[in-house]
Amino acid sequence: MNIGSCLPLIGKIETETLSVAIFQKGAEVIAENLDDVNKNIDSIIEWLNRLTVAMPGMDLVITPETSLQGSAFNTWKAAITLDGNEINRLKEVCKGLKLWLVVGAYVMVNDDEYVKNAAITINDQGEIVNVYYKTNPWIPMEPVSPGHEIQVFNGPKGSRIATIICSDGDYTEPWREAAYKGANIIIRISAYMTPYENAYEITNRAGAFFNHCYVVSANECGIDDGYCWFGKSMAVNFDGDIIAQAPLGIPYLMKVDLYPGICDAVQKQSLMGDLNWQSNHRAAASPDGKGIGWNKDMYSFLKSDNKVKGVK
């Protein structure tokens, strides 16, 4: 649960246990049409049924980025709609198995005008509770329209969840925005490829430590016409310690237990345990800080009128 924590945890903490299954896989079929998408959904449903037998009592299952189409070039042409039969199939199985599911998919929005890279969260009642659209598509290889908001929503067992997707996690801002809005668990679904194994681990661990949230990431595995997807899916605690990790390069299903109430306790303490508070109350321990500190924004790159050098 907690490896050598350096954070002050004062008093009695009560928390429910959130059991999460991380499903490291690749698409069964590189989708060119909706028939192919349904073949990938067949595989996901089969594994969800197996999961309930092998790991009874599971609360939440996470699949990698674009699990319904695969991450090869042009799979976005097989985009689904949120009210289509494909998602309805997953909604039905989540309700029947009493599971929450985060699934990655290319989604067509705005009357077939734009495709977005989405993380869709379905609850154990078969309802879509959140749709997050990737705010930082990978340039220049990902020709999709971006989303414009990091969202936080209530999940099972006291969790407050934000979802981000792959290259979102290469930037500090999505992580901090999620934590600022109250997330205690950040789910990062991804299709990270070789040679970025170290970057994937570093950014997951940094996102967890700098924001004192759990980070849970399901990464694709396998080889297609363009890339080798390396896997190494993981769960990281709020100290930045890896508490569970899948192997390199093979399909894998693993379980991890998380304790959202511990993150809540850490974030409520405006000492060394709450970096979000500290960043807005600099030098609160100094005599001139008077226990409050300085909250003026000193970072030029965060100012709205900032112009990036070389960009008009």
Side-chain angles (χ1 to χ4, degrees):
M1 176 178 71
N2 199 21
I3 305 171
S5 176
C6 59
L7 304 178
L9 295 172
I10 302 169
K12 183 179 180 180
I13 299 171
E14 294 184 356
T15 179
E16 292 190 86
T17 303
L18 177 69
S19 292
V20 180
I22 303 173
F23 192 8
Q24 176 172 293
K25 69 183 295 295
E28 296 295 320
V29 179
I30 301 303
E32 296 182 1
N33 50 54
L34 292 183
D35 286 340
D36 290 340
V37 170
N38 276 294
K39 292 176 184 176
N40 290 325
I41 292 175
D42 289 341
S43 175
I44 291 173
I45 291 175
E46 178 185 354
W47 279 102
L48 289 176
N49 280 292
R50 293 185 185 187
L51 173 68
T52 57
V53 175
M55 302 178 183
M58 195 62 57
D59 298 305
L60 171 66
V61 182
I62 302 168
T63 72
E65 179 182 12
T66 62
S67 297
L68 301 192
Q69 289 95 358
S71 298
F73 298 116
N74 295 327
T75 53
W76 56 271
K77 292 182 178 180
I80 64 167
T81 59
L82 293 175
D83 58 356
N85 177 64
E86 295 75 28
I87 286 298
N88 287 338
R89 293 182 63 199
L90 292 173
K91 290 165 66 175
E92 289 176 7
V93 77
C94 286
K95 182 176 181 179
L97 297 177
K98 301 299 180 186
L99 283 175
W100 286 62
L101 174 68
V102 178
V103 66
Y106 286 125
V107 174
M108 186 72 70
V109 297
N110 292 350
D111 299 322
D112 297 340
E113 186 175 0
Y114 300 112
V115 172
K116 294 181 180 287
N117 188 341
I120 303 165
T121 302
I122 303 169
N123 68 12
D124 58 358
Q125 302 300 308
E127 304 162 334
I128 294 178
V129 295
N130 184 258
V131 180
Y132 167 72
Y133 295 123
K134 189 174 186 178
T135 55
N136 296 276
W138 187 37
I139 298 172
M141 306 306 295
E142 190 176 8
V144 297
S145 176
H148 303 286
E149 182 183 8
I150 305 295
Q151 306 156 17
V152 176
F153 58 94
N154 292 326
K157 304 294 182 65
S159 61
R160 293 189 307 279
I161 297 172
T163 52
I164 64 174
I165 301 175
C166 203
S167 55
D168 285 329
D170 295 339
Y171 308 90
T172 58
E173 291 81 7
W175 299 106
R176 181 50 60 92
E177 180 76 358
Y180 179 80
K181 289 183 174 180
N184 51 32
I185 295 174
I186 301 176
I187 294 172
R188 183 192 196 184
I189 64 173
S190 58
Y192 244 99
M193 73 290 286
T194 295
Y196 299 110
E197 290 92 337
N198 288 340
Y200 171 72
E201 178 178 323
I202 289 168
T203 51
N204 282 335
R205 298 182 70 175
F209 176 78
F210 287 144
N211 300 291
H212 291 331
C213 296
Y214 283 108
V215 169
V216 187
S217 181
N219 190 45
E220 186 173 348
C221 67
I223 299 176
D224 61 27
D225 293 341
Y227 297 106
C228 174
W229 318 97
F230 56 77
K232 294 186 67 175
S233 301
M234 65 181 66
V236 184
N237 72 6
F238 45 81
D239 275 332
D241 299 316
I242 297 174
I243 55 177
Q245 186 169 25
L248 178 71
I250 63 172
Y252 203 79
L253 181 64
M254 66 181 180
K255 170 184 178 289
V256 60
D257 289 332
L258 308 179
Y259 305 90
I262 294 181
C263 286
D264 293 341
V266 168
Q267 293 171 3
K268 287 176 182 176
Q269 297 170 23
S270 30
L271 297 169
M272 68 187 72
D274 192 339
L275 297 181
N276 284 312
W277 188 89
Q278 287 189 29
S279 68
N280 289 294
H281 298 80
R282 295 178 295 112
S286 172
D288 63 331
K290 300 178 181 179
I292 298 174
W294 297 89
N295 61 5
K296 285 187 177 181
D297 178 16
M298 61 171 280
Y299 300 108
S300 299
F301 84 98
L302 291 177
K303 295 178 181 178
S304 59
D305 61 349
N306 179 53
K307 300 295 184 182
V308 178
K309 184 178 179 180
V311 177
K312 296 181 180 180

